[in-house]
């Protein structure tokens, strides 16, 4: 997959935060070399987060998000600030933008936002903009560093004159989380030369003419690792295994096919699902596995939230809206209360739920998935995901590899 086609969920998410008219939009345009954000002297021009997928040298594929000013006012202003706050959930790197003409005695908002970013452990670069308006920015940088108790000196730049921009990417590279080592979806389960069988149902819920994103990403990773791949449907699994001279190292199946696949899986072959692999790749497996064990404590009147991060037209065989609810109601009764949230919709208050069952999160970046896990943990609500839930309900969670 070329970098220009890199999914948003796999890009480094860089968000810009600052007051209205602090120079965020001008910085975005200068940063990426394109006019993607509307620039005006009128405060509050940016009303909603504006995102642009770009390639940024050593940073690689990125998603740059320009947000509304966090000092916005009034009823609409509160709504805009709420959307700016929401962007923290998926932010990997932050630029805290401060205009050079600001008084050092008026940094209360900046200190509050810096605290928010630090609480979420989001690496942050403080940027002093519009430096063409001051004679000497160096004393300002030192005072800003001291006032905000920053470990590193802020970066001074002028989007209008183009000065300081050359230092922006190197400074962000130094802050980039998780170092340079790429995360693996298969997490060391396989190595070069191993045979891996991919079981991919082609039913009413499968997209016509293409594979779903987790299947594509896993397939590409296995090719890069030098594995030998056999692809089939659940109905073709036995004949595919019969053609092999020895059992495969690993079988990866769609979670909804566990019941068909597990009885056919050789005892020496590891078994997992695309959703479970994504749980480890995007989130925190111990948390999600522990969440599945909370299923035993459900009651006939329990409330369950099913969260699917993508928006799609539900199919008759939909795993989140049809199959998982059917399995749960078969076990706990028709009185089970199940609510479905899709796309960007996700409730702030989770405490009314006894369990959250999340999709694999292929449309979210890792920071966003971890934010949702932390939100559930902080409110004392168990959370698991589709694949782990299906394995638990099928009685094979201990058989599955992760």
């Amino acid at each position: 997959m070329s970098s220009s086609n890199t999914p948003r969920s796999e890009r480094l998410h860089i968000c810009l935060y600052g007051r209205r008219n602090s120079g965020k939009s001008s910085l975005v345009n200068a940063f990426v070399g394109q006019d993607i954000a509307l620039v005006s002297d009128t405060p509050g021009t940016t009303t909603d987060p504006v995102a642009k997928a770009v390639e940024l040298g050593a940073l690689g594929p990125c998603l740059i998000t320009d947000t509304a000013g966090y000092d916005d006012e009034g009823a609409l202003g509160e709504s805009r600030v709420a959307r700016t706050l929401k962007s923290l959930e998926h932010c990997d790197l932050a630029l805290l933008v401060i205009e050079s003409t600001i008084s050092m005695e008026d940094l209360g908002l900046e200190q509050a936002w810096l605290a928010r970013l630090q609480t979420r452990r989001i690496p942050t670069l403080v940027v002093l903009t519009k430096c063409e308006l001051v004679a000497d920015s160096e004393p300002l940088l030192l005072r800003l560093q001291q006032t905000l108790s920053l470990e590193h000196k802020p970066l001074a730049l002028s989007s209008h004159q183009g000065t300081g921009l050359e230092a922006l990417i190197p400074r962000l590279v130094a802050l980039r989380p998780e170092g340079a080592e790429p995360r693996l979806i298969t997490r060391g389960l396989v190595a070069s030369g191993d045979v891996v069988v991919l079981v991919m149902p082609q039913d009413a819920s499968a997209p016509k003419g293409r594979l779903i994103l987790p299947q594509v990403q896993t397939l590409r990773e296995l090719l890069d690792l030098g594995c030998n791949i056999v692809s089939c449907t659940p109905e073709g699994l036995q004949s595919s295994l019969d053609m092999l001279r020895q059992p495969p190292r690993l079988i990866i199946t769609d979670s909804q096919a566990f019941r068909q696949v597990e009885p056919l899986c050789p005892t020496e072959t590891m078994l997992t699902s695309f959703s479970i692999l994504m749980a480890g790749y995007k989130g925190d497996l111990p948390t999600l596995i522990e969440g599945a064990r909370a299923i035993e404590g459900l009651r006939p009147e329990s409330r369950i939230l099913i969260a699917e991060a993508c928006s799609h037209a539900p199919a008759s065989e939909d795993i989140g809206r049809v199959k998982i609810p059917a399995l749960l109601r078969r076990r706990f009764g028709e009185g089970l209360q199940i609510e479905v949230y899709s796309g960007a919709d996700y409730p702030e208050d989770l405490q009314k739920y006894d369990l959250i069952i999340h999709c694999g999160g292929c449309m979210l970046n890792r920071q966003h998935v971890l934010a949702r896990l932390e939100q559930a943990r902080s409110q004392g609500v168990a959370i698991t995901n589709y694949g782990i839930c299906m394995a638990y309900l099928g009685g094979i969670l201990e058989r599955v590899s992760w």
Side-chain angles (χ1 to χ4, degrees):
M1 183 181 296
S2 69
S3 57
S4 62
N5 293 324
T6 303
R8 286 193 172 199
S9 59
E10 296 300 306
R11 291 178 177 268
L12 182 71
H13 287 223
I14 303 174
C15 299
L16 282 78
Y17 301 105
R19 300 184 187 226
R20 291 172 294 171
N21 212 29
S22 61
K24 299 188 302 298
S25 298
S26 294
L27 176 54
V28 168
N29 292 342
F31 194 11
V32 304
Q34 302 176 42
D35 290 333
I36 64 170
L38 183 62
V39 175
S40 170
D41 291 333
T42 304
T45 300
T46 302
T47 57
D48 289 313
V50 177
K52 173 68 174 179
V54 294
E55 287 288 317
L56 292 177
L59 286 170
C62 297
L63 188 75
I64 307 292
T65 301
D66 180 22
T67 64
Y70 49 56
D71 62 333
D72 215 335
E73 301 170 335
L76 280 176
E78 290 179 8
S79 177
R80 293 166 185 164
V81 172
R83 294 195 177 206
T84 296
L85 280 166
K86 195 75 175 170
S87 70
L88 289 169
E89 295 177 354
H90 62 80
C91 180
D92 294 311
L93 279 176
L95 289 174
L96 187 63
V97 180
I98 302 175
E99 188 177 350
S100 61
T101 56
I102 195 171
S103 167
M104 292 296 131
E105 288 70 41
D106 189 28
L107 291 171
L109 279 175
E110 284 65 34
Q111 290 172 324
W113 270 81
L114 194 58
R116 284 191 180 96
L117 292 162
Q118 290 171 341
T119 298
R120 290 178 175 268
R121 299 178 183 174
I122 299 173
T124 303
L125 175 63
V126 176
V127 176
L128 194 67
T129 57
K130 302 184 182 181
C131 287
E132 74 276 6
L133 301 178
V134 296
D136 185 4
S137 61
E138 192 63 24
L140 283 174
L141 294 175
L142 294 174
R143 288 182 63 193
L144 194 59
Q145 182 179 5
Q146 183 179 28
T147 303
L148 296 178
S149 302
L150 301 174
E151 182 180 355
H152 303 289
K153 189 168 69 173
L155 175 65
L157 53 80
S158 168
S159 301
H160 178 68
Q161 296 180 342
T163 56
L165 292 171
E166 72 284 349
L168 192 50
I169 290 180
R171 290 287 298 270
L172 289 174
V173 168
L175 285 173
R176 180 172 184 161
E178 297 185 12
E181 267 315 298
R183 295 175 57 80
L184 289 177
I185 297 172
T186 51
R187 294 163 53 87
L189 293 176
V190 294
S192 178
D194 286 340
V195 176
V196 181
V197 176
L198 304 183
V199 183
M200 299 174 285
Q202 301 302 299
D203 53 23
S205 62
K208 298 298 182 183
R210 61 183 177 87
L211 301 175
I212 61 174
L213 185 57
Q215 294 169 353
V216 173
Q217 290 178 310
T218 304
L219 179 60
R220 175 56 194 264
E221 180 178 294
L222 292 171
L223 290 171
D224 289 341
L225 290 172
C227 296
N228 300 302
I229 305 162
V230 177
S231 299
C232 64
T233 62
E235 295 76 19
L237 175 58
Q238 187 61 66
S239 60
S240 296
L241 292 173
D242 291 342
M243 290 189 297
L244 298 174
R245 288 184 294 180
Q246 58 186 25
R249 169 74 175 171
L250 175 67
I251 293 177
I252 306 173
T253 180
D254 193 281
S255 301
Q256 61 183 310
F258 266 140
R259 287 177 179 267
Q260 292 173 268
V261 172
E262 193 273 334
L264 301 179
C265 183
T267 55
E268 61 266 55
T269 297
M270 293 185 293
L271 173 66
T272 191
S273 76
F274 295 101
S275 181
I276 291 175
L277 291 178
M278 294 304 292
Y281 181 59
K282 293 292 184 77
D284 178 61
L285 266 173
T287 296
L288 294 166
I289 291 169
E290 185 62 28
R293 303 194 192 284
I295 292 174
E296 285 304 317
L298 293 177
R299 306 173 305 281
E301 69 276 9
S302 291
R303 299 187 68 172
I304 296 172
L305 167 64
I306 292 183
E308 45 185 39
C310 59
S311 299
H312 66 277
S316 59
E317 298 173 311
D318 191 90
I319 184 172
R321 295 170 182 262
V322 178
K323 293 191 174 182
I324 290 177
L327 287 172
L328 290 170
R329 288 191 168 115
R330 191 177 305 153
R331 188 164 180 170
F332 297 101
E334 292 298 320
L336 210 58
Q337 301 176 65
I338 299 177
E339 297 178 25
V340 179
Y341 279 74
S342 62
D345 294 334
Y346 196 73
E348 290 293 332
D349 183 8
L350 302 174
Q351 295 181 73
K352 64 181 180 180
Y353 300 107
D354 298 289
L355 176 66
I356 301 165
I357 305 175
H358 206 289
C359 68
C362 65
M363 301 304 293
L364 305 179
N365 70 336
R366 186 165 190 259
Q367 183 73 8
H368 203 164
V369 174
L370 290 174
R372 289 190 172 183
L373 294 184
E374 174 57 25
Q375 182 182 347
R377 186 205 63 77
S378 65
Q379 296 185 37
V381 182
I383 184 169
T384 188
N385 91 334
Y386 285 8
I388 297 171
C389 174
M390 293 288 282
Y392 188 87
L393 291 171
I396 61 169
L397 185 58
E398 303 304 324
R399 169 73 171 91
V400 170
S401 299
W402 52 73

